[in-house]
Each structure stands twice: as structure tokens, then as C-alpha cells.
Amino acid sequence: MGQDQTKQQIEKGLQLYQSNQTEKALHVWMKVLEKSADLVGRFRVLGCLVTAHSEMGRYKEMLKFAVVQIDTARELEDADFLLESYLNLARSNEKLCEFHKTISYCKTCLGLPGTRAGAQLGGQVSLSMGNAFLGLSLFQKALESFEKALRYAHNNDDAMLECRVCCSLGSFYAQVKDYEKALFFPCKAAELVSDYGKGWSLKYRAMSQYHMAVAYRLLGHLGSAMECCEESMKIALQHGDRPLQALCLLCFADIHRSRGDLETAFPRYDSAMSIMTEIGNRLGQVQVLLGVAKCWIARKALDKGSRPAMLPSPGPPLSAPSFPGSQGLCQTALPAALACACLSGSGCHRESPGPGRGSGKQARGCSASCGRTWCASTSAWRRPSSTAACAVSPSVRGTAGCRPCRAPTSSTSGACRTTGHGAAPTAAAPP
């Protein structure tokens, strides 16, 4: 296949992809990859395959094509191609939640000698690095990377990049609990789509609507959150965007949980977990498990929300959990803290509190020796210096029983005589 024919087939595949005929487009591109001897054409078609598999949630295939693209770039001995291929490799690892690898590849991109593509792709490299830092909860470094990406977007009049950065900033501020800014930036992204996005993919509108839905829910505007999430889900279904479908299902579940409709929330968490597991989004799996744990706590079923289950070894994604009211249920939700530790591949630095049963016994606290202990009555960690009364029964300040709330406990059941709460749960997320 010659150079001209390769270009024609790549364009044909792009037209099919833009008309939502994804499988046909992939078939055309794979044929080009098999038959074309033109290295530049092969590099371009590999880039198309990376993007398509990313939007379909096939992250392992995305990583495979990114590795092949790097080999092609090395054969071409062109710094611009090498930068682009390393960026695709960084993105692939970002999608698979391999955040340390993402940061390493992004630094490789930034360390390459100045190229023509460097000015155009530098913002995207900073954005990918910021997302990786955010995934590792390194908030200061994440914010610095996002601000750097935003400067690239403004300096190059790149509204598309600015839109993506605004969505990531919305996610950032949602995590640091600045909910007003968490709404402001996705709204800014939606404005950019409205003003400049006539020729853009609908995924940009869907992405901004999803982040607006998350912010509206956190602010308590559940009606607006539902409307935005429905709009995002509609576009995701239309384009076969599996990762966005999973995020929307998670958002729907969180909205129903905020409304107190737990029976409706559980099946949506179940569906979200199935897709998260299928595509390999381990961070998404953690978010689902946290939502499920909050549901059990909201039901005043702390024993079900915190009862330990058999955890798989770190690395492979968890199978979809099952919940009452949905199909194929297991009756125990994984504890949030242990699940997070398992999915991240490392243990939690703070050991979960043990049972503080019996009068005069204290709940075991943090293994990091910070002295914090878990209060079953307030569902919160308390410092040893705290002498505040129990939040449920402020008048109780006894010295026996639950150490944080100072409420006496039954010598037989271990339950708090004042509040009626049971012993401390066996796992909880530390502050």
C-alpha cells in the first residue's frame, strides 16, 4: 500500500469513526497497519487506534498500540513523532491508573529537546501529569500542572485543551471540597463548547456536563445534577463511550444516595462497578466501593458497611460486588479503606480500629501511633487530646467505655448505653 493510498484509507476510517461506525473504522485502520509500508502513515494510523480504543475504554489495547507507535517513531528518528508517542504511552498508563508510570513518561516528554510539536503538545503533557498527580492525591503538584497546562492553552489559543483542563480542575476542586470552584470550571468548559465547539466531538459537551453534575450533587442541587448527568449519559450511549457511561452510572448512584433512595442506588453502583472492572479503572472501582460503604452507613448498618471480606491480591481489578436489590448479590460490601489499599497495591498506613467491647476497654486506634481512635457514635476519628462530649449525647463525659465519646458501654453487648450504637467498625477511611 503506497503513501497516497494510506492517506486515503486513514481519512476513510476517520469519516466512519466520526459517523459512529467505530467497528468499521477500526477494521479499515487495522488493514492499513497490516498492508502499509509507509512509516509515517503507520504512525498516524497507530495514533488513530490509540484514540479510538481510549474512548471505547479498551485501555490494554490502547497501551499495546502506544508501544508499537514508539517503536515506529524510533525507526523514523524524528523527535516530534517520539514526543507524540510518549504522550500516548503516558495517557495509556493514566487510564490504567498506573500514575507513577504516567508521571515518568510525561517527564520523558518534557525532557526531549525542543521540537515543533513541543509547543503544541506541552499543554497536553502537563494535563496528563496533573491528572496523574491528582490520582495520587498530590494536590499541590496537580494544581501546578493544571495551571501550566492552562497557560499553554491561553498562549496557543487552544480552546479544546482549555476545555479539558477546566474539567480536570473541576475534579480537583471537588476532591479538595471547594464545591463552588468545582462547579465554576465545568461551567467554563461548557461555555467554551458552546462558543467554539461547533466542529468538536460531542465528547467535550458530555465531559463538561458530567463534571457539572458531580459539582451540583455536592452542592445539594440534585435536580440540576440529574439533568446534567442524563445529558452526559445520552451522548456516552450514542458514541459507545464506556468509561463515561461508568462515570455517569456512578454519578446517578450518588445522586440517589443523596436523596436517600438507597434501593435505587445499589443497582447503579453494581452496574458502574461492572464497567469499571471491565475497562480496568481501579480508581473508579474505589469510588464505587466508597459510595456503597456510605449507603450501608446511611442504613445504620455499620456492621455490613465495614465487615471485612476476602480481598484479592494487589494488582488485578476487583470483580463487581453485589448488593441487596440487584442481581448476583454478595451480602457483604468491601470496607472502603481496605478496598482502597488493595486496589492501589499498597497497605493503608493507618490500621482500622478494632472492637472496643466491654466497660473500661478502649477502641484500638491508628497504627501510625498518632493516637487517633474511632468513635462509633459520631462515625469519626478523634484525637486523644479531645475532651469533647459525645456528639449524640453531649452531657455524657464518663471515663469508662468508648474513649472518644466517653459514653459508658454495656458489659455484655458492648453497645453504648447512651446512644445505642455498637462497637467501632473494623475499617474506616482515616481523615
Side-chain angles (χ1 to χ4, degrees), residues 37-52:
D38 176 33
L39 287 177
V40 175
R42 287 174 61 84
F43 183 89
R44 293 302 175 202
V45 80
L46 283 165
C48 293
L49 287 166
V50 166
T51 302

Side-chain angles (χ1 to χ4, degrees), residues 385-397:
S385 59
S386 174
T387 58
C390 175
V392 182
S393 181
S395 62
V396 179
R397 289 180 180 271

Side-chain angles (χ1 to χ4, degrees), residues 131-166:
N131 289 333
F133 281 131
L134 184 58
L136 294 171
S137 297
L138 299 174
F139 297 115
Q140 184 59 42
K141 291 183 177 181
L143 184 59
E144 290 172 1
S145 296
F146 289 145
E147 289 175 344
K148 187 175 180 181
L150 206 56
R151 286 196 296 272
Y152 269 101
H154 290 158
N155 293 338
N156 294 284
D157 294 324
D158 190 340
M160 223 178 254
L161 174 61
E162 185 179 355
C163 178
R164 292 171 56 196
V165 175
C166 284

Side-chain angles (χ1 to χ4, degrees), residues 390-428:
C390 175
V392 182
S393 181
S395 62
V396 179
R397 289 180 180 271
T399 57
C402 174
R403 181 185 180 210
C405 70
R406 307 297 183 187
T409 58
S410 169
S411 59
T412 56
S413 66
C416 179
R417 292 174 181 170
T418 304
T419 63
H421 286 278
T426 57

Side-chain angles (χ1 to χ4, degrees), residues 86-359:
Y86 267 111
L87 175 58
N88 283 332
L89 188 59
R91 284 173 175 167
S92 302
N93 282 279
E94 176 196 332
K95 299 296 185 183
L96 289 167
C97 300
E98 297 287 353
F99 298 125
H100 290 290
K101 291 182 180 180
T102 301
I103 294 167
S104 176
Y105 289 127
C106 285
K107 288 180 178 179
T108 300
C109 291
L110 297 174
L112 291 172
T115 60
R116 182 180 67 259
Q120 299 173 348
L121 299 179
Q124 297 184 37
V125 173
S126 296
L127 174 59
S128 187
M129 185 180 288
N131 289 333
F133 281 131
L134 184 58
L136 294 171
S137 297
L138 299 174
F139 297 115
Q140 184 59 42
K141 291 183 177 181
L143 184 59
E144 290 172 1
S145 296
F146 289 145
E147 289 175 344
K148 187 175 180 181
L150 206 56
R151 286 196 296 272
Y152 269 101
H154 290 158
N155 293 338
N156 294 284
D157 294 324
D158 190 340
M160 223 178 254
L161 174 61
E162 185 179 355
C163 178
R164 292 171 56 196
V165 175
C166 284
C167 288
S168 291
L169 282 168
S171 180
F172 170 84
Y173 283 110
Q175 289 197 37
V176 298
K177 300 186 184 303
D178 189 341
Y179 300 143
E180 295 294 338
K181 287 184 179 178
L183 178 60
F184 169 79
F185 283 103
C187 287
K188 176 65 176 176
E191 288 179 11
L192 290 169
V193 173
S194 178
D195 294 341
Y196 305 102
K198 290 183 179 179
W200 296 4
S201 168
L202 284 174
K203 72 175 184 180
Y204 288 95
R205 175 173 173 77
M207 185 169 54
S208 61
Q209 291 293 314
Y210 162 73
H211 286 283
M212 286 171 63
V214 171
Y216 274 129
R217 185 192 69 80
L218 293 171
L219 287 167
H221 306 316
L222 302 183
S224 299
M226 184 63 78
E227 290 177 9
C228 291
C229 198
E230 286 174 349
E231 177 67 21
S232 181
M233 187 62 156
K234 181 180 177 181
I235 297 172
L237 290 171
Q238 180 183 346
H239 286 262
D241 190 335
R242 297 286 283 169
L244 186 56
Q245 289 174 30
L247 292 174
C248 287
L249 283 167
L250 173 58
C251 188
F252 280 134
D254 287 337
I255 292 170
H256 287 298
R257 175 172 57 81
S258 298
R259 286 176 171 173
D261 188 358
L262 304 183
E263 293 303 323
T264 306
F266 277 129
R268 283 154 182 77
Y269 281 126
D270 198 6
S271 299
M273 177 60 93
S274 297
I275 300 177
M276 296 289 190
T277 305
E278 173 193 329
I279 66 180
N281 186 347
R282 292 185 293 157
L283 181 60
Q285 293 174 54
V286 171
Q287 292 170 339
V288 172
L289 289 167
L290 288 172
V292 171
K294 290 175 183 177
C295 280
W296 285 119
I297 292 172
R299 275 188 166 187
K300 300 187 184 299
L302 291 174
D303 57 329
K304 291 185 179 180
S306 62
R307 187 185 305 155
M310 291 299 292
L311 290 174
S313 58
L318 294 174
S319 58
S322 306
F323 315 109
S326 65
Q327 297 179 353
L329 278 207
C330 97
Q331 294 296 321
T332 309
L334 284 171
L338 294 180
C340 293
C342 169
L343 290 167
S344 64
S346 61
C348 184
H349 293 294
R350 286 180 179 159
E351 190 175 331
S352 58
R357 299 184 180 276
S359 179

